[in-house]
């Protein structure tokens, strides 16, 4: 299995599928949708077969490939996955076919938000396949320059999904998303290019003797503290925008309100994880001293994101904006776990990335179904839905309870690990973060009560329950949420070795006394 180019095939197949869609006449929309879903299912099956060959106790990066890409600049086509990258790729390939299935009747209606002009289903599904290829590539890249290329490539399909298939203010939301992302990308590009001359320096000056962008080689450099801080900021700001963290989060609520609800499953559930994944992978391992230097400020902004996002969510009148603000709060927990620098915190953060993708994905899919039925995303336009659509209401409740981290559902385990891992070293941050748990119960239960409970609103009379196709789109995610709530160990078994390796590398390059909950002491065993 190790000789087969698994990751290159997984990246190439969706791109080939997107190109093949061009040959299908635009009028044959059913064939377009069937073909796109078929391609995404093949990708998911191949990823599952690849995962079966992953050895959690083996080398850190597996299924590696390395070929010269731009030899003159030391750039390689280099891919490989550790445990964290693997589970995020699995998250991506599982969600894509479900998003396509949920989009079957929504690709030409922007999730039901007042767009009179018919949109091309062929274009929509092709963009989803291109986005899938970019998501797999960004998690699989082990060359920093190649990572940057995929990091920026993701912007293209998302920009067109929002700008072409979005709501009435789609142009504003798409341009705002693009400007924020390009600003972060420009800062990261400067930092990425800066790494090349640093690696070209002789070993006596902390370099490697030859220019390279390979992650494993760059992580062995000894960069002077001042330079490392500037480089850290270049990467971190780009990742904070992508995550998104307060105060560079404002593109997300606008994008969420205007983008088609099914596509938001990938934009918020997967795309934004690139930010937190980049913090864990690149910020910590390439610049450990700078990361520790910035930790108090990062933790303060993480706590601010948790509380601010939760408070803003409570006051929203649009369901998609509400879920977007809950994600700002949840990403605060993920960043908190990463920069707690403990094994529990980082294991919880990595697991949180996966669990948030599924819980938020289920919420956006169900909200999309509601919007199509009611032609509105306003909470006040609903009420008593559980009386006419009990299956829809039941799945909405499970997804919402997962978002508020109810014990027995997947997000609880990850949030608990983050809080415990943070409290063991930064007590003040752990205490403040708990307030986010309380606020989550308020915004989730209040939204459910106003939309699903109470007397039936006249407009929901006769509302149809979930169709068979819609059940197939949501039921797998609900099943994963429940199973991982009771049995998260298989995922943690894959994640923990990579987390421990990160902590070991950080401590080797920048030893810090009095670290509790480190990899050597408790092995990240929740």
């Amino acid at each position: 299995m190790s000789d087969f180019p698994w990751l290159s095939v997984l990246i190439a197949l969706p791109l080939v599928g997107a190109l093949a869609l061009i040959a299908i006449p635009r009028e044959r929309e059913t064939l377009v949708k069937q073909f796109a879903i078929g391609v995404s299912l093949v990708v998911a099956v191949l990823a599952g077969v690849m995962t079966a060959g992953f050895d959690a106790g083996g080398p850190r990066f597996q299924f590696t490939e390395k070929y010269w890409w731009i030899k003159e600049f030391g750039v390689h086509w280099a891919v490989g996955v550790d445990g964290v990258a693997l589970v995020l790729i699995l998250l991506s390939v599982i969600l894509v076919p479900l998003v396509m299935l949920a989009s079957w009747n929504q690709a030409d209606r922007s999730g039901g938000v007042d767009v009179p002009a018919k949109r091309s289903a062929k274009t929509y599904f092709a963009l989803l396949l291109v986005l899938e290829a970019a998501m797999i590539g960004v998690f699989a890249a082990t060359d920093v320059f190649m990572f940057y290329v995929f990091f920026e490539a993701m912007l293209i399909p998302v920009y067109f999904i929002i700008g072409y298939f979005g709501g009435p203010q789609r142009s504003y939301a798409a341009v705002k998303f693009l400007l924020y992302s390009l600003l972060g990308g420009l800062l990261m590009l400067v930092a990425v290019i800066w790494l090349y001359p640093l690696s070209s320096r002789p070993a006596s000056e902390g370099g490697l003797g030859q220019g390279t962008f390979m992650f494993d080689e760059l992580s062995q450099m000894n960069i002077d503290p001042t330079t490392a801080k500037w480089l850290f900021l270049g990467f971190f700001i780009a990742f904070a925008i992508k995550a998104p963290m307060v105060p560079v989060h404002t593109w997300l609520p606008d994008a969420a309100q205007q983008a088609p609800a099914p596509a938001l499953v990938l934009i918020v559930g997967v795309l934004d994880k690139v930010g937190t994944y980049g913090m864990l992978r690149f910020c910590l391992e390439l610049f450990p001293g700078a990361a520790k230097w910035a930790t108090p400020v990062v933790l303060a902004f993480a706590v601010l994101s948790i509380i601010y996002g939760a408070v803003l969510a409570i006051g929203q009148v649009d369901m998609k904006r509400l879920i977007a603000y809950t994600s700002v709060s949840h990403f605060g927990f993920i960043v908190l776990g990463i920069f707690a620098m403990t094994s529990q915190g980082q294991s919880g953060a990595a697991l949180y990335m996966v669990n948030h993708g599924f819980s938020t994905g289920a919420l956006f899919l169900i909200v999309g179904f509601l919007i199509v039925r009611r032609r509105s995303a306003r909470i006040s336009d609903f009420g008593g839905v559980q009386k006419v659509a009990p299956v829809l209401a039941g799945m909405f409740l499970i997804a919402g309870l997962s978002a508020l981290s109810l014990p027995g559902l997947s997000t609880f385990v990850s949030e608990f690990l983050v809080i415990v891992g943070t409290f063991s070293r930064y007590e003040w941050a752990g205490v403040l973060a708990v307030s986010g748990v309380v606020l989550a119960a308020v915004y989730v239960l209040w939204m459910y009560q106003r939309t699903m409970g109470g007397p039936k609103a006249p407009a929901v009379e006769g509302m149809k329950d979930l169709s068979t196709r819609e059940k197939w789109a949501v039921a797998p995610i609900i099943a994963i949420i429940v199973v991982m709530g009771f049995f998260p160990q298989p995922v943690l078994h894959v994640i923990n070795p990579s987390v421990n390796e990160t902590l070991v590398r950080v401590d080797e390059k920048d030893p810090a006394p009095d670290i509790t909950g480190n990899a050597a002491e408790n092995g990240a065993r929740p």
Side-chain angles (χ1 to χ4, degrees):
M1 291 182 67
S2 61
D3 295 331
F4 186 79
W6 290 100
L7 294 169
S8 292
V9 170
L10 289 177
I11 296 169
L13 190 56
L15 292 176
V16 173
L19 290 174
L21 284 179
I22 299 175
I24 302 176
R26 178 173 177 174
E27 298 76 22
R28 303 190 64 182
E29 287 193 359
T30 299
L31 180 59
V32 166
K33 297 169 185 177
Q34 290 173 339
F35 181 81
I37 293 175
V39 171
S40 66
L41 287 174
V42 172
V43 173
V45 170
L46 286 176
V49 174
M50 181 188 74
T51 302
F54 184 82
D55 181 8
R60 181 181 184 185
F61 288 100
Q62 300 177 37
F63 310 112
T64 56
E65 304 169 47
K66 182 180 177 182
Y67 314 100
W68 279 114
W69 183 11
I70 310 174
K71 191 171 183 178
E72 293 77 6
F73 298 104
V75 179
H76 293 83
W77 174 273
V79 291
V81 291
D82 63 356
V84 176
L86 178 64
V87 297
L88 290 174
I89 288 175
L90 288 176
L91 170 68
S92 306
V93 301
I94 290 172
L95 289 179
V96 169
L98 300 178
V99 166
M100 290 182 175
L101 190 61
S103 302
W104 192 273
N105 293 326
Q106 297 186 36
D108 61 346
R109 287 184 288 178
S110 181
V113 185
D114 300 331
V115 179
K118 184 175 178 62
R119 304 303 185 195
S120 168
K122 185 162 89 169
T123 303
Y124 180 82
F125 282 88
L127 289 171
L128 289 179
L129 287 174
V130 172
L131 179 58
E132 180 178 30
M135 292 187 301
I136 296 172
V138 80
F139 293 128
T142 54
D143 180 285
V144 178
F145 190 88
M146 179 180 166
F147 170 85
Y148 171 78
V149 170
F150 280 113
F151 182 87
E152 293 291 81
M154 291 187 300
L155 305 182
I156 300 171
V158 174
Y159 172 78
F160 285 107
I161 287 173
I162 299 173
Y164 189 61
F165 295 93
Q169 302 297 319
R170 55 187 178 274
S171 296
Y172 169 77
V175 171
K176 187 174 183 179
F177 161 78
L178 188 64
L179 290 177
Y180 269 74
S181 299
L182 287 177
L183 172 61
L186 180 62
L187 293 174
M188 187 167 75
L189 177 61
V190 173
V192 168
I193 294 175
W194 199 344
L195 288 171
Y196 187 82
L198 290 177
S199 63
S200 302
R201 293 178 179 178
S204 60
E205 297 179 18
L208 301 171
Q210 61 178 3
T212 183
F213 289 105
M214 290 297 296
F215 169 75
D216 262 348
E217 296 175 20
L218 291 174
S219 64
Q220 305 302 318
M221 288 198 305
N222 293 312
I223 306 173
D224 71 87
T226 301
T227 302
K229 290 174 183 177
W230 284 110
L231 292 171
F232 170 86
L233 289 174
F235 277 88
F236 180 80
I237 293 173
F239 295 145
I241 292 173
K242 187 74 73 179
M245 288 182 66
V246 174
V248 289
H249 68 288
T250 58
W251 66 267
L252 179 60
D254 293 321
Q257 186 174 14
Q258 300 303 320
L264 285 171
V265 175
L266 299 180
I267 296 173
V268 181
V270 181
L271 186 75
D272 291 354
K273 303 300 187 308
V274 176
T276 49
Y277 169 79
M279 293 178 192
L280 182 63
R281 170 61 48 80
F282 298 103
C283 288
L284 264 60
E285 294 199 42
L286 294 182
F287 322 110
K292 291 182 177 180
W293 161 75
T295 288
V297 175
V298 174
L299 292 179
F301 277 108
V303 171
L304 177 62
S305 295
I306 291 171
I307 299 173
Y308 179 85
V311 171
L312 265 290
I314 294 173
Q316 297 304 307
V317 298
D318 181 286
M319 286 188 288
K320 292 199 291 184
R321 287 185 71 92
L322 189 152
I323 298 172
Y325 276 111
T326 68
S327 295
V328 172
S329 181
H330 292 153
F331 276 104
F333 278 106
I334 297 173
V335 175
L336 191 70
I338 291 171
F339 281 85
M341 302 289 185
T342 63
S343 59
Q344 300 104 321
Q346 291 190 357
S347 291
L351 184 62
Y352 212 137
M353 294 185 213
V354 179
N355 291 335
H356 174 267
F358 287 122
S359 64
T360 302
L363 283 173
F364 274 126
L365 287 183
I366 297 170
V367 165
F369 298 149
L370 285 169
I371 294 172
V372 167
R373 285 160 169 77
R374 183 64 181 83
R375 305 298 293 172
S376 173
R378 291 180 62 85
I379 295 173
S380 59
D381 289 337
F382 295 86
V385 174
Q386 64 187 7
K387 297 176 182 178
V388 297
V391 176
L392 186 154
M395 289 190 173
F396 193 34
L397 179 61
I398 295 173
L401 293 176
S402 175
L404 64 80
S405 301
L406 182 76
L409 298 177
S410 58
T411 314
F412 169 76
V413 180
S414 45
E415 197 163 283
F416 177 79
L417 286 173
V418 166
I419 292 174
V420 169
T422 304
F423 190 84
S424 66
R425 186 170 182 188
Y426 298 99
E427 190 172 313
W428 63 271
V431 170
L432 292 174
V434 173
S435 63
V437 179
V438 179
L439 292 171
V442 176
Y443 59 67
V444 169
L445 296 178
W446 196 24
M447 177 176 64
Y448 183 85
Q449 188 275 329
R450 287 183 288 170
T451 55
M452 303 290 117
K456 284 188 292 185
V460 305
E461 290 283 357
M463 178 181 287
K464 294 181 180 180
D465 209 340
L466 294 181
S467 66
T468 301
R469 174 185 56 80
E470 291 169 335
K471 291 175 184 175
W472 274 107
V474 180
I477 303 179
I478 298 297
I480 291 172
I481 288 172
V482 174
V483 171
M484 287 186 61
F486 286 96
F487 194 46
Q489 191 56 44
V491 180
L492 286 169
H493 178 67
V494 173
I495 288 173
N496 285 343
S498 179
V499 168
N500 291 339
E501 180 70 20
T502 298
L503 285 170
V504 168
R505 288 192 178 196
V506 169
D507 288 342
E508 281 179 350
K509 292 188 68 176
D510 189 56
D514 197 28
I515 293 180
T516 60
N518 61 35
E521 289 181 0
N522 66 45
R525 296 177 183 172

